[in-house]
Amino acid sequence: MKNAIKELRAERRWSQAALADKLDVSRQTVISIENGKYDPSLPLAFRIARVFGLPIETIFDDENAG
């Protein structure tokens, strides 16, 4: 699943570690999500959306959707 986390994080000048702290996950989890190697659980996706103050659909793009 494509996502805009890296760009959103950069706009806010947050490090991967800072975002990980805000989400209560490891830095490695943030790296994996940013690189598209790990799709977050639904609860984590909601936490990500809340941290950025954006709807989930703005952050994540299901490239398989019709």
Side-chain angles (χ1 to χ4, degrees):
M1 180 179 326
K2 290 185 177 184
N3 67 71
I5 294 174
K6 187 173 187 175
E7 294 81 9
L8 293 168
R9 181 179 58 76
E11 287 173 5
R12 289 157 177 80
R13 297 182 181 173
W14 294 344
S15 66
Q16 289 170 330
L19 179 56
D21 285 345
K22 292 175 188 298
L23 297 172
D24 197 28
V25 298
S26 70
R27 182 176 162 268
Q28 190 60 42
T29 298
V30 170
I31 292 168
S32 295
I33 294 170
E34 285 185 354
N35 292 330
K37 295 183 180 188
Y38 172 73
D39 290 336
S41 66
L42 193 54
L44 179 53
F46 275 106
R47 282 202 316 266
I48 291 168
R50 277 194 299 274
V51 163
F52 287 114
L54 296 168
I56 288 178
E57 299 84 13
T58 303
I59 301 170
F60 296 98
D61 178 29
D62 181 6
E63 51 200 20
N64 296 323

